[in-house]
Amino acid sequence: MEVVIVKDAKAGGELIADGIADLLRRKPDALLGVATGSTPLPIYDALIAQVEAGSVDASRARIAQLDEYVGLPSGHPESYRSTVLRQVVEPLGLSPEAFMGPDGSAEDVLAACEAYDTALSTAGGVDLQILGIGTDGHIGFNEPCSSLASRTRIKTLTEQTRVDNARFFDNDIEQVPHHVITQGIGTILEARHLVLLATGEGKAEAVAQTVEGPVAALVPASALQLHPHATVVVDEAAASKLKLADYFRHTFANKPAWQGI
């Protein structure tokens, strides 16, 4: 696992966008796994700016959704499908056919989970998966004590996660669904490169447990320690509880340019 400490969220977004741009130059039809929420927005903003400036061609990129609420009406503005289309697919100039995600409105949710897991494999697997982290250490919607071998499935959200996400529903927790479809940890770990961005002091404890704590289902993000190519990008606030912060700064400062992100 590589840990990169940056000045702020904007710098983190630019760094990760540079890595995605390098991937697209090597593999123009790369399958990019995207997360939602406020944390990854600087990544998308920086990547969109590069595309608009002509420094990278994303026209053949494909986009895969990480998770989805269960039960929201089709086209609901806060469904993750709508969010990804609005924040990533459309600004990059991609067609809806370049996008894939689970069907949270399906009558048979279990079948929808299995179908999406299969679809990811059929598409050749995710080349780079962007991840955020919850204050309780969850990734995707794999809440604490999720199986580290889990596949795409339905999960019940913790009350803390619903509280955290209420800001997207007019701060009304009653509007936040109780269930989601999420790629499981086992599914996430099959991506070729995992990139987690965390910003703010509120994520500091979760980051420390993820990076320096034991691999444990209680902190689902700690499973990134098992991945051969995982990058954790954090701002100074989110890095504030890392015991090895100075070492991480030193290793990144002396990283060979050819290694990339």
Side-chain angles (χ1 to χ4, degrees):
M1 177 187 292
E2 179 182 25
V3 180
V4 183
I5 301 173
V6 295
K7 179 178 66 173
D8 52 27
K10 183 175 184 292
E14 291 172 347
L15 177 70
I16 296 171
D18 286 345
I20 295 172
D22 287 344
L23 170 62
L24 291 174
R25 293 183 187 104
R26 300 192 308 270
K27 187 176 182 180
D29 65 344
L31 181 57
L32 305 176
V34 298
T36 52
S38 55
T39 299
L41 292 179
I43 303 173
Y44 308 143
D45 290 344
L47 181 61
I48 291 164
Q50 290 200 36
V51 169
E52 292 177 344
S55 61
V56 63
D57 180 7
S59 62
R60 293 172 58 193
R62 298 170 294 154
I63 304 297
Q65 198 172 333
L66 181 62
D67 40 37
E68 180 60 276
Y69 288 116
V70 170
L72 289 183
S74 177
H76 189 288
E78 295 307 327
S79 74
Y80 287 147
R81 177 180 294 268
S82 295
T83 301
V84 170
L85 289 173
R86 184 172 62 246
Q87 294 180 348
V88 183
V89 175
E90 293 171 2
L92 287 177
L94 304 177
S95 70
E97 288 71 31
F99 168 80
M100 58 190 301
D103 185 359
S105 62
E107 289 188 13
D108 189 339
V109 179
L110 294 179
C113 294
E114 184 176 350
Y116 187 52
D117 214 66
T118 300
L120 290 171
S121 296
T122 301
V126 175
D127 291 293
L128 185 149
Q129 176 66 57
I130 296 169
L131 298 167
I133 186 171
T135 54
D136 58 3
H138 74 251
I139 50 173
F141 276 120
N142 295 284
E143 299 285 19
C145 291
S146 292
S147 166
L148 301 187
S150 55
R151 309 301 304 179
T152 300
R153 68 214 192 284
I154 186 170
K155 288 291 290 182
T156 302
L157 298 180
T158 65
E159 195 67 6
Q160 182 60 57
T161 297
R162 294 182 69 238
V163 168
D164 290 345
N165 286 5
R167 66 189 188 277
F168 300 113
F169 292 83
D170 299 323
N171 290 313
D172 181 3
I173 192 172
E174 296 304 319
Q175 295 186 43
V176 183
H178 285 271
H179 299 97
V180 291
I181 293 175
T182 184
Q183 288 186 37
I185 297 173
T187 306
I188 291 171
L189 290 176
E190 290 180 352
R192 295 175 183 86
H193 186 187
L194 301 178
V195 181
L196 186 151
L197 176 63
T199 57
E201 188 176 357
K203 300 295 179 70
E205 182 61 33
V207 167
Q209 291 295 323
T210 294
V211 172
E212 298 175 339
V215 176
L218 189 61
V219 184
S222 66
L224 269 66
Q225 295 181 35
L226 303 173
H227 197 276
H229 191 190
T231 306
V232 176
V233 180
V234 293
D235 68 359
E236 291 288 350
S240 61
K241 294 190 178 182
L242 288 172
K243 296 177 182 178
L244 298 177
D246 287 343
Y247 172 70
F248 297 138
R249 293 187 182 94
H250 175 78
T251 55
F252 185 69
N254 292 280
K255 182 179 180 178
W258 53 264
Q259 282 189 334
I261 185 175

